Amino acid sequence: MLTDLKENFTHIFEDALIAEINEVGTLKEVKEGEKLIEIGDYVRSMPLLLKGAIKILREDDDGDELLLYFLERGDTCAMTLTCCLGQTKSEIRAIAELDTTLIMIPIQKMEEWTGKYKSWRNFVFQSYHARLTEMLETIDSIAFYNMDERLVKYLQNKKKVTNDSLINSTHQEIAYELHTSRVVVSRLLKKLESMGKIELNRNSIKIIAL
């Protein structure tokens, strides 16, 4: 675990903090599609991503989901930080987009390190800023973008996060995450295919030129 920590966080944290994380942190591996956090859970620890990717989702009163943002290597989740420090129930669902390895940090250490290490304090504030920016982009896309523009942005983000031009998602799964209907998603995907931008396969989409 120490080797992974140094590889991912040496440029962010000082050696003393990395040593403490190695001492108190718990290594956790999550398979693709597995839930890490469910809505209504009390969050007892904060994740640091060593590899993989996690998608953060919000749910409305009807049970429909909306994708807020992705977490990648070197990230943490601002919503998790808020729940940890406020000792409140989670309002988001976290699901592994890829096979993911994390280090889980106990709540009490989060508060202690905020006062003890400037690098940790900066990391937390920067994480809040990054996640807030991503959520504002999500709000902007809903408020100002057409669904075809949102779909293109979604596919571009998926490609970036997975580092793969093959998107292993069904039309229904995409519809859930974009908070729309499968019929709309299928129609727009076929339009993109006719333009030569993607190739549709069974339960997957190959990005050609987006």
Side-chain angles (χ1 to χ4, degrees), residues 49-100:
L49 267 70
L50 296 179
K51 68 176 182 179
I54 291 174
K55 58 186 175 185
I56 305 300
L57 303 156
R58 185 97 161 110
E59 186 178 86
D60 67 13
D61 293 338
D62 296 324
D64 294 324
E65 293 178 331
L66 175 66
L67 176 65
L68 296 180
Y69 51 80
F70 288 100
L71 299 178
E72 301 175 71
R73 173 179 164 181
D75 286 342
T76 190
C77 180
M79 300 291 284
T80 302
L81 292 172
T82 302
C83 291
C84 282
L85 295 174
Q87 298 185 23
T88 57
K89 291 182 179 180
S90 172
E91 295 182 358
I92 54 94
R93 178 176 293 122
I95 300 176
E97 180 71 16
L98 303 169
D99 289 348
T100 300

Side-chain angles (χ1 to χ4, degrees), residues 5 8 14 24 27 33 48 64 67 97 100 102 130 133 173:
L5 268 171
N8 287 279
E14 53 264 76
V24 304
L27 195 66
L48 293 178
D64 294 324
L67 176 65
E97 180 71 16
T100 300
L102 316 96
T133 299
E173 288 168 343

Side-chain angles (χ1 to χ4, degrees), residues 103-130:
I103 296 177
M104 307 303 290
I105 308 297
I107 295 176
Q108 60 270 25
K109 287 296 178 181
M110 292 170 52
E111 298 184 52
E112 177 187 327
W113 293 343
T114 298
K116 187 175 181 180
Y117 296 108
K118 182 180 178 180
S119 65
W120 177 261
R121 189 163 59 249
N122 289 341
F123 175 70
V124 169
F125 289 152
Q126 288 167 5
S127 296
Y128 271 119
H129 176 73

Side-chain angles (χ1 to χ4, degrees), residues 146-163:
N146 296 324
M147 183 53 69
D148 54 350
E149 294 174 315
R150 290 180 59 201
L151 179 59
V152 168
K153 184 175 177 59
Y154 171 88
L155 294 173
Q156 290 171 336
N157 286 340
K158 278 268 195 176
K159 180 181 178 181
K160 175 179 175 291
V161 167
T162 62
N163 197 29

Side-chain angles (χ1 to χ4, degrees), residues 28-37 94-98:
K28 184 180 181 71
E29 294 187 348
V30 186
K31 294 294 184 183
E32 180 182 341
E34 185 178 340
K35 288 180 185 177
L36 179 66
I37 301 171
I95 300 176
E97 180 71 16
L98 303 169

